[in-house]
Amino acid sequence: AGTAADGPERIVVIPGDGIGKEVVPAAREVLEAVGPDFEFEEADAGDAVKAETGEALPEETRDLAANADATLFGAAGETAADVIIPLRRAVDSFANVRPVRAYPGTDALQPGTDLVFVRENTEGVYAGHESEIAPGVTTLTRVVTESASEEIARYGFEYAAERGSRVTIAHKANVMRTTDGLFLDTARRVGAEYDVDADEALMDALAMHLVQRPEEYDVVVCPNLAGDVLSDLAAGLVGGLGLLPSANVGDERALFEPVHGTAPDIAGQGVANPSAVMLSAAMLLEYLGYDDAGERVRSAVTATLESGPHTPDLGGDATTSDVTEAVLAKL
Amino acid sequence: AGTAADGPERIVVIPGDGIGKEVVPAAREVLEAVGPDFEFEEADAGDAVKAETGEALPEETRDLAANADATLFGAAGETAADVIIPLRRAVDSFANVRPVRAYPGTDALQPGTDLVFVRENTEGVYAGHESEIAPGVTTLTRVVTESASEEIARYGFEYAAERGSRVTIAHKANVMRTTDGLFLDTARRVGAEYDVDADEALMDALAMHLVQRPEEYDVVVCPNLAGDVLSDLAAGLVGGLGLLPSANVGDERALFEPVHGTAPDIAGQGVANPSAVMLSAAMLLEYLGYDDAGERVRSAVTATLESGPHTPDLGGDATTSDVTEAVLAKL
Ligand SMILES: CC(C)[C@H](C(=O)O)[C@@H](O)C(=O)O
Ligand SMILES: CC(C)[C@H](C(=O)O)[C@@H](O)C(=O)O
């Protein structure tokens, strides 16, 4: 990614549908407040644009994301898959990074949860080759390559090495012997280059262990669908998707999004919790090299979660803008 | 399956490795005590046989299971996949039925858990067509057919209709549009024939909701791998695999197994908990039409879980045979 020396970074902001429209602007205020001289561009995606234009992800939005230094996305409704999968591809992201923590203010089933999923973001069942090969008989070609496995494993081990943490490699190589076998062998080989403790877990056994002892896990490197399911499972342990940020990381650009959806039940009321997208903005800052600014945002958000004000999802009666003001005041 | 009128049912008993060798004989004692005039045959499978003969599942064992009315299997170690997948096929099982309950005596994270996974048992990624199509590029063909989807959905809805319970259809049709699309459409069509409440859930969202509110679910109909992962997740909510039974159900025969493995840490000490395989034996009795005997076994096991004696996994110091005697006494 570029640095400030190359001129201002271009940030594309895509609020999307539902509460995306309320929380993304709040996160943009926070980004503006911490200072880097970003150039913002706003773009559309989601159910509403589709209803108007027939396209959930307009060509123009895709192109903006494909050329920006970073994109901040809110949420999309029914069209989520049609928006997020092409956007992940547009930014050439290979890693989907999902920190799952029991943030202060969360009523967590497992308060010791503090781990990061590093999910392969390009292939597996998401490679998307499906067909009806005979009436009533359908197939999907799951793809696993050594190059993508190597890239995600390297990202996971680098990430763990920087933080002094452990890696767990998730797989189902006892059944998917060739494909997950390749994923596992490659991750083992990459792991051997790092001075990082690592172990391996079958994804089914891991699902059980994550529920029972999440505190034993640090960085979990996963194939695409395994990462999808296991990270949502872990979100359940910390009280839901409401506070969780994520990053779709590529070499040149990246896409940041809260893990939550459009929350149609509360959309339009101005009471959505902006924390998850603000924490995603903190990841964006760090991705672009503004580590201090990123840390300032994360600290201000966690301090506000701890002290309040709280939006209704956390049992309070504050509005999105009450929370945003509190975060801005703490920066 | 045959009934007593056709002559004694043939039951194949495969202890396998580790604690399988200790708990399966205990369950056989219980089956003998409740009376149906079964003809038992014992057979080998697992790591130990493989070390001796090179085959984890000897042809003879496979043939016995393929011709018996029911098979009771314990556990296998490293060779688990080489034993259990061919055995499931040998009995022509299409449904893997996994009741997950917070049994008395379990230290459950979610004590309200009481649901049943009805997992498709023949296809999906388990259909097993994999290849390395170029150096470092591998594929697996996931297969979903209308006929298998219909069979599993029908089993799930019948099961729910008999018990007055609800059905949730798990899928990932927003990504696997053709294959899980077929699974979902077929399950919807079958569901419309039944007077049973049904809803649908994306498997990732379901993973989160199961962690948070398992009491909201009854019968969960799943594609093969989804059922594998979600049922282990749910096992985590009730304190692990230790007490959970399962059935691999076909039209003519079936295979029953505890969900737990070989427990190498305690194998050989005579202190393994026989409850899961006894509860599997109760499912075997019901499958063969001996509903009263099945219910007697289930009641005796749950009463023993409630009152003790307890094996060390439940905090007691009883042996497998102490528990077996207690269950026999309560029949
Ligand atoms: C909307 C869907 C395509 C997406 C995924 O499966 O990756 C979502 O579940 C997620 O995890 O971001
Ligand atoms: C051992 C393995 C092949 C098996 C499976 O994936 O079905 C196991 O995890 C299970 O759920 O019984």
Side-chain angles (χ1 to χ4, degrees), chain A residues 31-296:
Chain A
L31 282 175
E32 284 169 340
V34 288
D37 180 24
F38 291 146
E39 198 181 299
F40 289 97
E41 285 159 300
E42 206 149 316
D44 285 329
D47 294 1
V49 205
K50 179 163 182 181
E52 268 171 50
T53 68
E55 289 281 355
L57 183 66
E59 191 73 11
E60 196 199 326
T61 301
R62 209 208 72 88
D63 289 349
L64 281 171
N67 291 297
D69 294 293
T71 298
L72 188 63
F73 172 64
E78 291 292 308
T79 56
D82 297 318
V83 172
I84 197 64
I85 295 179
L87 274 182
R88 286 176 186 160
R89 216 169 280 144
V91 302
D92 273 326
S93 64
F94 57 86
N96 187 320
V97 183
R98 302 188 162 188
V100 181
R101 281 183 52 192
Y103 287 96
T106 320
D107 182 20
L109 191 63
Q110 289 286 23
T113 308
D114 184 5
L115 49 89
V116 179
F117 291 92
V118 172
R119 167 184 174 191
E120 200 285 321
N121 217 20
T122 68
E123 55 185 31
V125 300
Y126 288 72
H129 305 290
E130 289 189 293
S131 55
E132 179 167 20
I133 58 168
V137 180
T138 62
T139 60
L140 178 148
T141 304
R142 178 175 194 261
V143 179
V144 176
T145 65
E146 188 174 356
S147 56
S149 302
E150 171 149 2
E151 201 164 23
I152 194 68
R154 198 166 293 289
Y155 189 89
F157 277 98
E158 287 283 352
Y159 191 99
E162 278 168 25
R163 286 163 182 76
S165 47
R166 295 175 55 251
V167 168
T168 300
I169 306 162
H171 67 94
K172 184 83 189 175
N174 61 340
V175 170
M176 303 193 275
R177 295 181 185 204
T178 304
T179 52
D180 269 15
L182 178 60
F183 182 84
L184 179 59
D185 286 346
T186 306
R188 275 182 191 155
R189 175 170 58 69
V190 169
E193 296 174 30
Y194 291 83
D195 186 22
V196 165
D197 275 353
D199 62 2
E200 301 161 6
L202 288 165
M203 66 183 284
D204 49 332
L206 183 56
M208 186 180 78
H209 290 136
L210 281 170
V211 169
Q212 296 189 305
R213 293 185 295 278
E215 64 284 358
E216 291 182 4
Y217 296 89
D218 270 345
V219 175
V220 184
V221 174
C222 312
N224 206 339
L225 185 65
D228 178 48
V229 177
L230 296 174
S231 63
D232 266 37
L233 174 171
L237 301 173
V238 301
L241 305 170
L243 301 180
L244 302 180
S246 78
N248 297 278
V249 175
D251 286 323
E252 301 291 328
R253 57 200 95 254
L255 164 70
F256 301 84
E257 39 160 348
V259 182
H260 64 65
T262 56
D265 49 325
I266 59 156
Q269 300 174 23
V271 297
N273 189 337
S275 304
V277 64
M278 288 177 180
L279 292 166
S280 303
M283 295 180 87
L284 180 156
L285 288 163
E286 286 162 354
Y287 175 79
L288 294 176
Y290 301 107
D291 288 358
D292 292 348
E295 192 44 45
R296 276 173 66 204

Side-chain angles (χ1 to χ4, degrees), chain B residues 101 103-106 299-310 314 330:
Chain B
R101 279 184 53 192
Y103 286 96
T106 320
S299 302
V301 173
T302 37
T304 306
L305 284 170
E306 198 142 10
S307 64
H310 286 150
L314 299 178
K330 288 200 173 66

Side-chain angles (χ1 to χ4, degrees), chain B residues 16-153:
Chain B
D17 300 315
I19 63 168
K21 288 201 166 53
E22 302 163 42
V23 293
V24 169
R28 178 172 167 175
E29 277 187 68
V30 167
L31 282 175
E32 284 168 340
V34 288
D37 178 26
F38 290 146
E39 198 180 298
F40 290 98
E41 285 159 300
E42 205 149 316
D44 285 330
D47 295 1
V49 205
K50 179 163 181 183
E52 268 171 50
T53 68
E55 290 280 354
L57 182 66
E59 190 73 11
E60 197 197 325
T61 302
R62 209 209 71 88
D63 289 349
L64 281 171
N67 292 296
D69 294 294
T71 298
L72 188 63
F73 172 65
E78 291 291 308
T79 56
D82 297 317
V83 172
I84 198 64
I85 295 178
L87 274 182
R88 287 176 185 160
R89 215 170 280 144
V91 302
D92 273 327
S93 64
F94 57 86
N96 188 320
V97 182
R98 302 187 161 189
V100 181
R101 279 184 53 192
Y103 286 96
T106 320
D107 182 19
L109 190 64
Q110 290 285 24
T113 308
D114 186 4
L115 48 88
V116 180
F117 291 93
V118 172
R119 167 184 174 189
E120 201 287 318
N121 216 21
T122 68
E123 55 184 31
V125 299
Y126 288 72
H129 305 290
E130 288 189 293
S131 54
E132 179 167 20
I133 56 168
V137 180
T138 62
T139 59
L140 178 148
T141 305
R142 179 176 196 260
V143 179
V144 176
T145 65
E146 186 171 358
S147 57
S149 302
E150 171 148 1
E151 201 164 22
I152 195 67

Side-chain angles (χ1 to χ4, degrees), chain A residues 17-36:
Chain A
D17 300 316
I19 63 167
K21 288 201 166 53
E22 301 163 43
V23 292
V24 169
R28 178 172 168 175
E29 276 187 69
V30 167
L31 282 175
E32 284 169 340
V34 288

